[in-house]
Amino acid sequence: MNDLVDVAIVGAGPYGLSLAAHLRRADISYRQFGLPMNLWRAHMPRGMYLKSQGFASNLSDPDGTHTLRNFCLETGRRYADYGVPVSLADFVDYGEWFQQGRGLEVEEQLVADIAPLPGRFELTLSDGQRVEASQVVVAVGVEYFARIPEVLAELPTDLCTHSSVHDDLSGFDGQDVVVVGAGQSALETAALLHENGANARLVARAPSVAWNGKPLLPDRPLLQRMREPEAGLGSGLSTWFYSEQPKLFRHLPTATRVHRARTALGPAGGWWLRERVEGCFPVHVAHRLDWAKPTGDQVRLGVRVGGEIREFTADHVISATGYPPDISRLPMLSARLRPAIRTIAGTPRVGRNFESSVPGLYFAGPLVAPSHGPVMRFVYGADYAVRMITERIVATTARPVVAGGIG
């Protein structure tokens, strides 16, 4: 029988590693399970850049010493708070540097099952080992939520895949590839395909491609900064609210929170990507997929444009259509645990400290965007989330009383 640990952390991405750093600093015993930075390391294409500004791409460090800026200074890499895109390679290396620098031990196994026991939880790992923890934090990111539209879902995987399965797009050199979607992932996937020798084209139902503007200068006149503040998720008053006020966001009406979590900061390309897309390969907007059929080693797509159907033929289709969070797609939640978790729009309903309706069970990251706002879809949200979770865990973790001390 394993000793009971205070906290089990499920996941080792930016949210999970950030939480581990805070728990370690607070002297809370924990065990962490997952593959460090796996979403970024194995499910994002080489050559990609983050949309977030440098200052908004930090993991949460209790001392403020292990920032992306300090990592870049120490390793001689280019960095700026504003205006210099953060490369995927640098961000993955930063995550490893953060983990090592904070002394975080991650057990590189997946959690297969989380089951409730009286006053604690039992976790079954992928190797069959069982671990007991007083509290559990699920911080798994979006890797379980990759979505392929129904019209493409029946195609074989040699003809159609989600963008998340590709960490190297150079294998499509010389092939005709259709990318479906209109957001950053779709635009950058198409650009990287083109730059790696593929005949790429993008098909999107959106009426046009949206582009984010360049970051606003932080030393603008005060009145301009008040009218259009620059925040972690971008510029503008609403974006500032989503970035900096998750504590207030959770008090909005439920329907409003659900709508804004889904639609705020919608599909758009980074300003630095625009010159790599426009005029470089075909972009078909206002095109809605109607049907898809395999034809030998290719795929035919029927695309509705107004009242007409156009046909495209491709060697492969990449669906860059996002990761809508859905708690039902988390395989590690046991059949005994799942019904006790209250939900909001298919996601766990969590309180101010990210604790669910099951005492001691917490969720962080994109899964809680309908509770705490769109910032939870981004690395920038990790600092607020892990500080609130740590505060609650410290307050509810029994500490031994020192003999002779004051109780």
Side-chain angles (χ1 to χ4, degrees), residues 152 155-161 166 171-179 193 197-201 293-301 312-319:
L152 299 175
L155 291 173
T157 56
D158 60 333
L159 294 179
C160 178
T161 49
H166 300 289
F172 289 103
D173 181 15
Q175 297 187 41
D176 295 322
V177 184
V178 168
V179 179
L193 283 165
N199 300 313
R201 69 174 63 234
K293 298 177 182 178
T295 56
D297 57 358
Q298 290 188 312
V299 58
R300 289 171 55 219
L301 300 176
F312 296 124
T313 301
D315 298 308
H316 198 86
V317 177
I318 296 179
S319 179

Side-chain angles (χ1 to χ4, degrees), residues 73-98:
L73 287 173
E74 184 175 304
T75 58
R77 306 186 194 209
R78 188 180 179 216
Y79 173 86
D81 286 342
Y82 293 88
V84 175
V86 179
S87 75
L88 174 66
D90 284 352
F91 188 66
V92 170
D93 288 348
Y94 165 57
E96 181 178 347
W97 177 84
F98 182 96

Side-chain angles (χ1 to χ4, degrees), residues 243-399:
S243 303
E244 310 301 334
Q245 298 298 325
K247 188 174 294 186
L248 296 180
F249 181 92
R250 62 178 296 270
H251 293 293
L252 294 174
T254 298
T256 300
R257 285 187 281 121
V258 170
H259 176 72
R260 294 191 181 181
R262 184 179 66 250
T263 61
L265 308 170
W271 61 270
W272 44 265
L273 181 61
R274 192 167 187 167
E275 65 182 13
R276 295 166 54 196
V277 172
E278 292 184 340
C280 296
F281 51 84
V283 175
H284 306 281
V285 295
H287 282 49
R288 183 180 293 271
L289 290 178
D290 193 77
W291 51 263
K293 298 177 182 178
T295 56
D297 57 358
Q298 290 188 312
V299 58
R300 289 171 55 219
L301 300 176
V303 183
R304 185 171 297 278
V305 187
E308 300 181 355
I309 295 289
R310 294 183 62 186
E311 286 194 23
F312 296 124
T313 301
D315 298 308
H316 198 86
V317 177
I318 296 179
S319 179
T321 43
Y323 305 82
D326 182 350
I327 194 174
S328 68
R329 299 184 67 180
L330 292 183
M332 74 286 295
L333 300 178
S334 73
R336 287 189 293 138
L337 181 60
R338 195 181 300 273
I341 303 171
R342 294 179 60 200
T343 60
I344 170 174
T347 67
R349 183 188 297 268
V350 297
R352 65 180 296 270
N353 295 106
F354 294 78
E355 189 172 17
S356 72
S357 55
V358 177
L361 178 64
Y362 302 78
F363 292 89
L367 260 175
V368 297
S371 292
H372 288 277
V375 71
M376 296 302 141
R377 294 167 15 208
F378 298 85
V379 175
Y380 191 68
D383 187 68
Y384 176 79
V386 304
R387 289 182 187 278
M388 298 299 289
I389 294 171
T390 301
E391 176 187 276
R392 175 66 175 169
I393 288 175
V394 168
T396 56
T397 299
R399 315 309 298 170

Side-chain angles (χ1 to χ4, degrees), residues 77-136:
R77 306 186 194 209
R78 188 180 179 216
Y79 173 86
D81 286 342
Y82 293 88
V84 175
V86 179
S87 75
L88 174 66
D90 284 352
F91 188 66
V92 170
D93 288 348
Y94 165 57
E96 181 178 347
W97 177 84
F98 182 96
Q99 179 188 346
Q100 293 176 351
R102 297 301 312 185
L104 308 178
E105 296 184 8
V106 179
E107 300 176 50
E108 296 193 14
Q109 291 196 62
L110 298 181
V111 173
D113 186 80
I114 305 170
L117 295 175
R120 62 197 190 281
F121 300 87
E122 182 181 70
L123 289 76
T124 303
L125 307 184
S126 53
D127 67 352
Q129 179 188 171
R130 297 190 176 186
V131 175
E132 292 189 3
S134 298
Q135 304 188 73
V136 174

